[in-house]
Amino acid sequence: MVRTAESRERERSAREARANDFRILSEENTMSTQFRKHSNTNTQQRPKQPRRQHPGRNNGPTKLEIIPLGGFSEVGRNSVAIRCEDEIVILDLGLMMDRYIEYTDSDDLVEISGRKLIEIGAAPDVNILGKEKKNVVGILLTHAHLDHIGAVPYLANRFDCDIHATPFTTELVRRMYEDERRHPRGRLVAHDVNDRFVLTDKIQAEFISVTHSTPQTVMILIHTPYGKVLYCNDFKLDNNPTLGPKPNYARLRELAGTVDYLILDTLYAEHPIKTPSEKIAEEMLKDVLLGTQSKGAKIIITTFSSHIARLRAIVNVAKMMKRKPVFLGRSLRKYVEAAQDVGIADFSDVEIVGYGNKVKPYLKRIKNPERYLFVATGNQGEPKATLARIVNQRLLPLTDNDIVIFSCKMIPVPVTIENRKRLENELQAQHVRIFTDIHVSGHGAREDHRDLLNTLKPKHIIPTHAEMKGLGAFKELALEVGYKPEQIRIVRNGERVRVK
Amino acid sequence: MVRTAESRERERSAREARANDFRILSEENTMSTQFRKHSNTNTQQRPKQPRRQHPGRNNGPTKLEIIPLGGFSEVGRNSVAIRCEDEIVILDLGLMMDRYIEYTDSDDLVEISGRKLIEIGAAPDVNILGKEKKNVVGILLTHAHLDHIGAVPYLANRFDCDIHATPFTTELVRRMYEDERRHPRGRLVAHDVNDRFVLTDKIQAEFISVTHSTPQTVMILIHTPYGKVLYCNDFKLDNNPTLGPKPNYARLRELAGTVDYLILDTLYAEHPIKTPSEKIAEEMLKDVLLGTQSKGAKIIITTFSSHIARLRAIVNVAKMMKRKPVFLGRSLRKYVEAAQDVGIADFSDVEIVGYGNKVKPYLKRIKNPERYLFVATGNQGEPKATLARIVNQRLLPLTDNDIVIFSCKMIPVPVTIENRKRLENELQAQHVRIFTDIHVSGHGAREDHRDLLNTLKPKHIIPTHAEMKGLGAFKELALEVGYKPEQIRIVRNGERVRVK
């Protein structure tokens, strides 16, 4: 086929929309990468590690093992495989967002390839599975953040199996395939939180409800004849969630002492706190929005598009202020529609302008912007997202005493730091009032980890979703709780761990 | 008089009790002093500054002027004099806490002298007033923190006048005199918040209700025939206070455009937020105390003794947890009793062990410490305060899963950083769970300043209670709000400002 100028242009614009969409979906989960350059991003080229043997154990053929594919000793592209004899399940297939964006920003890009994503360390290295890839019997997803599901459209079709997730996550995956104009090879199967389901004669999976910064997040418990592996990545222990249930403590207590390996999100293991409830963020939003002089002022709030609970809180405050809530931006539309479609939140009271090119004419038509509360994508200052476009292109002229609220944490990677600095600088030049960090995290901290360990009492733990410093802090905590060093396994991608 | 060994010992032990008492009273207001060494601490030795003249103004005799005595371009020992013709009022007489403690810790100390406190820069330099000191007609105090009232027992008697404050502050000053075995030369006069009272034919004062981290904090408005000066130091704008009224916005609106000079606490002028309400701290406390596994655990909380609202919140959570609240430490007793005596809070449901030597036998007698919630002095890790003594002397043996909560911010001065590090280290060695920063500040931030300026519209502003960086940040904000550079006066102690 000869590529015409027109077809090239079509491809180019589709690619841009795609890249931009992903960029503004980037979540708080893609944390500092300052140490990443020292890590081996291509595990294929790495000399094979001898498999660790535990003295005194049966050293016959391995019946059950954990195969780290991505996100171990690094932050991003989360994925792990669990092999039970000749059957494998893959848990999560996420992206390393900054590498993904850098790659998809390139003008030379025609089509995003899974092979290339793996090569640059933007996707989990599923090549680690080698010939075993034909044995994969299911892909299971914990939650709808891109560092856990973003690689699905590029890699899942390498495996002849279904994709299992909660309804909200399933709906997001369906929309991702749609956006990419790709089709999943297997079915997308939705399971409710706290459901247990059969994958094969040997493997069952259980979704255990937990809290995080996006709805219907679950821990995944893999039941096999040779033991249980619990994958808890990401999590927080929120006892006052503003949307959805509390963590399923009853089930965790039932499981006490029976889980052979816990794979655990330890991003904030070094923070000596319990991460505050989402209720605190809601109160902070109310405090700042109702307590600041805002009569006659334009107000824009930006937050994570996937954070449905936060978005609902913002809409509720808008009503208390007698302002009309309007959501501006593509990824907001995507997540909000998914939440509505699966019936976990109602946004029928919100106007959504979900196409980039509609934002400008929409804002132009508005006569009394001080009667609105705008929510825009682009909380990390991404130059192509709605907030930066509003500010830089003056789509909504901002002036003295107008208000921009960042209901998020800045992700401390160089590109974001630079983007936010530029955006805040421009806002200050326009004399806009800036409020930052009206936010609580979705990741548990040191004292959440302790409570989880004390409740669940897993036999072994593999900390993940952190760089060496966080993993070390977690290990120290586990020792304090009473674990022995050999019960805590800090591993890298590709370094298999034998369970039995 | 011959000093016997016994009398020396008596003096020594009284001095130690006193120093310790003050140390554990040290508040969040004594912030970073890293730049202080560059500042001129003894304004007496400074060459006289020419008084600034404003071009185009009447340069006849000065009718009304502001005389900074302490806390200008530094953090601590807050004090300012307002002179109206031949009459002077002094607003606040505070201590620079770290210098005060260093001085009173010395073994050579026999008696604390006001002269010496001034010499070492621990107290406001009232010598700046020279012969005018006989003209002082009143000392007025904003609130009960030691960096605003701590120098009263050492310096107030140099002036032949009464001391005016709200009931809570007055009660604290009375107790300070009692502790020092001194007597005020004039009367201690209590005025309700929002009262206006006559000092002389020319000077009236008005206490305007504002929020802060201790009860009955006021702005002081000085009315004179030549203009109005408003002293707002310290303040936050809390619209959901958990104890006492909101700031008196109605009065501030009435005063719009009529205040000639606003002297303003700008400690956090560079933080791009509105300081969260005390309600947020209450929710955070509930979240962590009710949401953490604490069955069978001993719990100790430490916070500022003067923070009556926070203490009430802690007692309320204790009851929700069905634990008996007990307060341990001298300064807790002092502030809590003062609050009860003036009827602003009821702590009859709390047992208070208010003498250092009673804490040990009290804790020894307790059979079921897991049924209590202990509140202890020493949130900055002060080695002689109750918390450090409990931990280091094992007055209450702490072990795995016991909990210590710091409901405060660490004051970033070297001695505190070191003290806290030692204490936390010891706690970790005992495997205690530490929760830090369960706290919101009592000082307004950038967006509170903006709201205040927009409401009050003062003609001129003197930022105070900050070092040069904070003062500069405030000036930048004021320019953004529309002030001209000459309306913002950044001054040092001793640098008089002519109002009229």
Side-chain angles (χ1 to χ4, degrees):
Chain A
M1 191 186 106
V2 181
R3 290 175 75 229
T4 61
E6 197 193 42
S7 77
R8 272 198 303 275
E9 183 45 39
R10 247 200 331 269
E11 276 164 10
R12 191 192 142 81
S13 98
R15 184 199 341 136
E16 272 189 3
R18 203 162 51 208
N20 190 38
D21 187 27
F22 272 110
R23 187 175 308 104
I24 56 191
L25 281 165
S26 70
E27 291 299 328
E28 60 173 321
N29 303 289
T30 52
M31 299 300 290
S32 166
T33 55
Q34 52 189 323
F35 303 116
R36 194 186 306 140
K37 60 178 178 289
H38 304 298
S39 76
N40 188 338
T41 60
N42 190 338
T43 40
Q44 266 190 295
Q45 294 161 4
R46 217 168 147 197
K48 254 201 167 172
Q49 295 248 352
R51 298 192 190 175
R52 291 195 192 170
Q53 303 288 348
H54 285 276
R57 272 207 200 165
N58 172 8
N59 285 334
T62 299
K63 303 289 193 182
L64 179 61
E65 72 175 353
I66 294 163
I67 312 169
L69 301 178
F72 289 78
S73 306
E74 64 183 356
V75 179
R77 59 166 178 163
N78 293 284
S79 188
V80 65
I82 313 291
R83 179 176 74 77
C84 176
E85 292 185 329
D86 58 349
E87 293 173 351
I88 290 176
V89 290
I90 292 176
L91 311 181
D92 283 347
L93 270 176
L95 289 170
M96 181 77 79
M97 288 311 296
D98 51 348
R99 287 191 194 143
Y100 173 83
I101 288 165
E102 197 184 339
Y103 164 56
T104 54
D105 258 354
S106 154
D107 275 345
D108 302 331
L109 182 75
V110 177
E111 195 183 31
I112 302 169
S113 89
R115 187 189 55 71
K116 186 72 186 171
L117 287 174
I118 293 172
E119 192 182 305
I120 61 168
D125 187 3
V126 292
N127 294 324
I128 288 167
L129 297 176
K131 288 180 182 166
E132 294 170 291
K133 78 173 187 178
K134 69 177 190 312
N135 298 338
V136 174
V137 296
I139 295 167
L140 284 67
L141 307 171
T142 53
H143 67 285
H145 284 155
L146 289 179
D147 60 335
H148 292 257
I149 65 170
V152 167
Y154 311 115
L155 295 180
N157 283 5
R158 296 183 173 205
F159 310 103
D160 185 15
C161 66
D162 295 340
I163 298 171
H164 304 262
T166 53
F168 180 67
T169 309
T170 307
E171 180 57 25
L172 260 302
V173 171
R174 196 187 64 69
R175 284 163 187 264
M176 282 167 57
Y177 271 108
E178 215 172 78
D179 290 349
E180 293 292 307
R181 298 203 180 83
R182 295 177 189 228
H183 295 280
R185 184 169 165 187
R187 295 171 304 160
L188 298 181
V189 188
H191 304 267
D192 281 335
V193 290
N194 297 317
D195 268 11
R196 177 170 171 166
F197 50 95
V198 174
L199 285 167
T200 69
D201 285 351
K202 279 179 289 203
I203 303 179
Q204 296 189 14
E206 184 177 346
F207 283 174
I208 300 174
S209 168
V210 75
T211 41
H212 185 44
S213 45
T214 197
Q216 296 189 338
T217 297
V218 292
M219 309 182 184
I220 300 176
L221 179 61
I222 299 298
H223 299 259
T224 77
Y226 306 105
K228 292 190 186 75
V229 176
L230 180 60
Y231 179 64
C232 176
N233 185 28
D234 306 335
F235 89 107
K236 79 188 270 190
L237 299 181
D238 190 336
N239 297 306
N240 296 291
T242 61
L243 184 78
K246 281 193 209 185
N248 189 346
Y249 293 119
R251 183 62 179 137
L252 295 178
R253 279 191 296 267
E254 273 175 16
L255 290 168
T258 71
V259 169
D260 295 281
Y261 269 85
L262 168 67
I263 302 166
L264 183 62
D265 157 19
T266 54
L267 184 63
Y268 287 144
E270 56 194 310
H271 293 213
I273 54 163
K274 170 180 174 59
T275 297
S277 164
E278 179 61 18
K279 183 163 182 249
I280 304 295
E282 189 178 293
E283 293 291 338
M284 288 167 80
L285 268 171
K286 270 197 257 176
D287 189 51
V288 72
L289 277 166
L290 303 177
T292 302
Q293 289 178 10
S294 61
K295 207 181 153 189
K298 304 177 199 81
I299 304 180
I300 306 175
I301 305 186
T302 184
T303 188
F304 300 105
S305 297
S306 59
H307 204 325
I308 303 299
R310 187 71 53 82
L311 292 169
R312 249 339 296 177
I314 292 169
V315 172
N316 293 344
V317 186
K319 289 176 164 185
M320 294 165 84
M321 301 175 80
K322 299 198 175 14
R323 285 177 181 248
K324 178 183 161 74
V326 176
F327 288 2
L328 305 170
R330 196 178 145 94
S331 72
L332 274 165
R333 180 176 62 84
K334 188 195 285 200
Y335 276 93
V336 162
E337 283 184 2
Q340 295 203 113
D341 285 356
V342 301
I344 53 175
D346 177 15
F347 287 91
S348 58
D349 47 357
V350 177
E351 185 163 0
I352 301 173
V353 184
Y355 296 91
N357 55 1
K358 295 278 166 64
V359 170
K360 188 175 173 177
Y362 177 85
L363 291 175
K364 213 171 178 178
R365 274 203 315 278
I366 283 183
K367 291 281 173 296
N368 305 300
E370 71 281 3
R371 296 197 186 155
Y372 291 73
L373 193 147
F374 300 104
V375 179
T377 56
N379 66 74
Q380 300 297 315
E382 303 90 330
K384 293 180 190 168
T386 310
L387 178 58
R389 286 175 51 225
I390 289 176
V391 173
N392 296 327
Q393 302 172 27
R394 302 275 187 156
L395 303 188
L396 185 73
L398 298 174
T399 175
D400 290 35
N401 295 327
D402 288 338
I403 290 170
V404 170
I405 294 175
F406 291 87
S407 185
C408 59
K409 180 188 188 303
M410 187 176 70
I411 298 165
V413 295
V415 60
T416 299
I417 293 168
E418 185 58 28
N419 283 342
R420 272 285 292 265
K421 201 174 78 183
R422 277 192 202 164
L423 178 59
E424 290 185 30
N425 207 41
E426 182 57 34
L427 285 168
Q428 272 171 338
Q430 297 181 19
H431 289 191
V432 172
R433 305 180 69 167
I434 303 171
F435 298 78
T436 63
D437 296 305
I438 312 298
H439 182 62
V440 300
S441 173
H443 293 270
R446 186 174 176 88
E447 296 308 323
D448 299 293
H449 289 115
R450 193 191 310 256
D451 274 349
L452 186 64
L453 296 191
N454 282 335
T455 304
L456 191 66
K457 302 182 202 306
K459 295 174 196 164
H460 305 84
I461 309 162
I462 301 176
T464 185
H465 207 298
E467 285 160 350
M468 290 317 291
K469 201 174 158 205
L471 301 175
F474 174 79
K475 183 160 186 172
E476 185 217 339
L477 168 68
L479 298 179
E480 196 177 306
V481 167
Y483 280 84
K484 297 197 188 74
E486 59 270 24
Q487 291 176 286
I488 316 301
R489 298 289 302 274
I490 295 180
V491 299
R492 307 280 286 267
N493 302 330
E495 197 176 328
R496 295 176 184 228
V497 175
R498 177 190 164 118
V499 180
K500 186 152 185 130
Chain B
M1 191 186 108
V2 181
R3 291 176 73 229
T4 62
E6 196 191 41
S7 77
R8 271 199 303 275
E9 183 44 39
R10 244 197 336 266
E11 276 163 10
R12 192 192 141 81
S13 97
R15 183 196 346 133
E16 271 188 3
R18 204 162 50 209
N20 190 38
D21 188 27
F22 273 110
R23 187 176 309 104
I24 56 191
L25 281 165
S26 69
E27 291 299 327
E28 59 173 323
N29 303 289
T30 52
M31 300 299 290
S32 166
T33 55
Q34 52 189 323
F35 303 116
R36 193 186 308 140
K37 59 178 177 288
H38 304 300
S39 76
N40 188 337
T41 59
N42 191 339
T43 39
Q44 268 190 292
Q45 295 161 3
R46 219 168 145 195
K48 253 200 167 172
Q49 295 247 353
R51 297 192 190 175
R52 291 194 193 170
Q53 303 288 348
H54 285 276
R57 271 208 200 164
N58 172 8
N59 285 334
T62 299
K63 303 289 194 183
L64 179 61
E65 72 175 353
I66 294 163
I67 312 168
L69 301 178
F72 289 78
S73 307
E74 64 183 356
V75 179
R77 59 167 179 165
N78 293 284
S79 188
V80 65
I82 313 290
R83 179 176 73 78
C84 177
E85 292 186 327
D86 58 349
E87 293 173 350
I88 290 176
V89 290
I90 292 176
L91 311 181
D92 283 348
L93 270 176
L95 289 171
M96 181 77 79
M97 288 310 296
D98 51 349
R99 287 190 194 144
Y100 173 83
I101 288 165
E102 198 183 337
Y103 164 55
T104 54
D105 258 355
S106 154
D107 275 345
D108 302 331
L109 182 75
V110 177
E111 195 183 29
I112 302 169
S113 88
R115 187 190 55 72
K116 186 71 186 173
L117 287 174
I118 293 172
E119 192 182 305
I120 61 169
D125 187 2
V126 292
N127 294 323
I128 288 167
L129 296 177
K131 289 180 182 165
E132 294 170 291
K133 78 173 187 178
K134 69 177 189 312
N135 298 338
V136 174
V137 297
I139 295 167
L140 284 66
L141 307 171
T142 54
H143 66 285
H145 284 155
L146 289 179
D147 60 335
H148 292 256
I149 64 171
V152 167
Y154 311 115
L155 295 180
N157 283 4
R158 296 183 173 205
F159 310 102
D160 185 15
C161 65
D162 295 339
I163 298 171
H164 304 262
T166 53
F168 180 67
T169 310
T170 306
E171 180 58 26
L172 260 303
V173 171
R174 195 186 64 71
R175 284 163 188 264
M176 282 167 59
Y177 270 108
E178 216 172 78
D179 289 350
E180 293 293 307
R181 298 202 179 85
R182 295 178 188 228
H183 295 280
R185 184 169 165 188
R187 294 172 305 160
L188 298 181
V189 188
H191 304 268
D192 281 336
V193 290
N194 297 317
D195 268 10
R196 178 170 170 165
F197 50 96
V198 174
L199 285 166
T200 68
D201 285 351
K202 279 179 288 203
I203 304 178
Q204 296 189 13
E206 184 178 346
F207 283 174
I208 300 174
S209 168
V210 75
T211 41
H212 185 44
S213 45
T214 197
Q216 296 189 337
T217 297
V218 292
M219 309 181 184
I220 300 176
L221 179 61
I222 299 298
H223 299 259
T224 77
Y226 306 104
K228 293 190 186 75
V229 176
L230 180 60
Y231 179 65
C232 176
N233 186 27
D234 305 334
F235 89 108
K236 78 188 271 190
L237 298 180
D238 190 336
N239 297 305
N240 296 291
T242 60
L243 184 78
K246 281 193 210 185
N248 189 347
Y249 293 118
R251 183 62 180 138
L252 295 178
R253 280 191 295 268
E254 274 175 15
L255 289 168
T258 71
V259 169
D260 295 280
Y261 269 85
L262 169 67
I263 302 167
L264 183 63
D265 157 19
T266 54
L267 184 62
Y268 287 144
E270 56 193 311
H271 293 213
I273 54 163
K274 170 179 174 58
T275 298
S277 164
E278 179 61 18
K279 183 162 181 248
I280 305 294
E282 189 178 293
E283 293 291 337
M284 288 167 80
L285 268 171
K286 270 197 256 176
D287 189 51
V288 71
L289 277 166
L290 303 177
T292 302
Q293 289 178 8
S294 62
K295 207 181 152 187
K298 304 177 199 80
I299 304 180
I300 306 174
I301 305 186
T302 183
T303 188
F304 301 104
S305 297
S306 59
H307 204 325
I308 303 299
R310 187 70 53 82
L311 291 169
R312 249 340 295 178
I314 292 169
V315 172
N316 293 343
V317 186
K319 289 175 165 185
M320 294 165 84
M321 302 174 80
K322 299 198 176 14
R323 284 176 181 249
K324 177 182 161 74
V326 176
F327 288 3
L328 305 170
R330 195 178 145 94
S331 72
L332 274 165
R333 179 176 62 85
K334 188 195 286 199
Y335 277 92
V336 162
E337 283 183 2
Q340 296 203 114
D341 285 356
V342 301
I344 53 176
D346 177 14
F347 287 91
S348 58
D349 46 357
V350 177
E351 185 163 359
I352 301 173
V353 184
Y355 295 90
N357 55 1
K358 295 278 167 64
V359 170
K360 187 175 174 178
Y362 178 85
L363 291 175
K364 212 170 179 179
R365 273 203 315 277
I366 283 183
K367 291 282 174 296
N368 305 300
E370 71 281 4
R371 296 198 187 153
Y372 291 72
L373 194 147
F374 300 103
V375 179
T377 56
N379 66 75
Q380 300 297 315
E382 302 90 330
K384 292 180 190 168
T386 310
L387 177 58
R389 285 175 51 225
I390 288 176
V391 174
N392 296 328
Q393 302 172 27
R394 303 276 187 155
L395 303 188
L396 186 73
L398 298 175
T399 175
D400 290 36
N401 295 326
D402 289 338
I403 290 170
V404 170
I405 294 175
F406 291 87
S407 185
C408 59
K409 180 186 187 305
M410 187 176 69
I411 298 165
V413 294
V415 59
T416 298
I417 293 168
E418 185 58 28
N419 283 342
R420 272 286 292 265
K421 201 173 77 182
R422 278 193 200 162
L423 178 59
E424 290 186 30
N425 207 41
E426 182 57 32
L427 286 168
Q428 272 171 337
Q430 297 181 20
H431 290 191
V432 171
R433 306 180 69 166
I434 303 171
F435 298 78
T436 63
D437 296 305
I438 312 298
H439 183 62
V440 300
S441 173
H443 293 269
R446 186 174 177 88
E447 297 307 323
D448 298 293
H449 289 116
R450 193 191 311 256
D451 273 350
L452 186 64
L453 296 191
N454 282 335
T455 304
L456 191 66
K457 302 182 202 308
K459 295 174 196 165
H460 305 83
I461 309 162
I462 301 176
T464 184
H465 207 298
E467 285 159 351
M468 290 316 292
K469 200 174 158 205
L471 301 174
F474 174 79
K475 183 160 186 172
E476 185 217 341
L477 168 68
L479 298 178
E480 196 177 306
V481 167
Y483 280 84
K484 297 197 188 74
E486 60 270 25
Q487 291 177 286
I488 316 301
R489 297 290 302 275
I490 295 180
V491 299
R492 308 279 286 267
N493 302 330
E495 197 176 328
R496 295 175 184 229
V497 175
R498 176 189 164 117
V499 180
K500 184 147 186 133

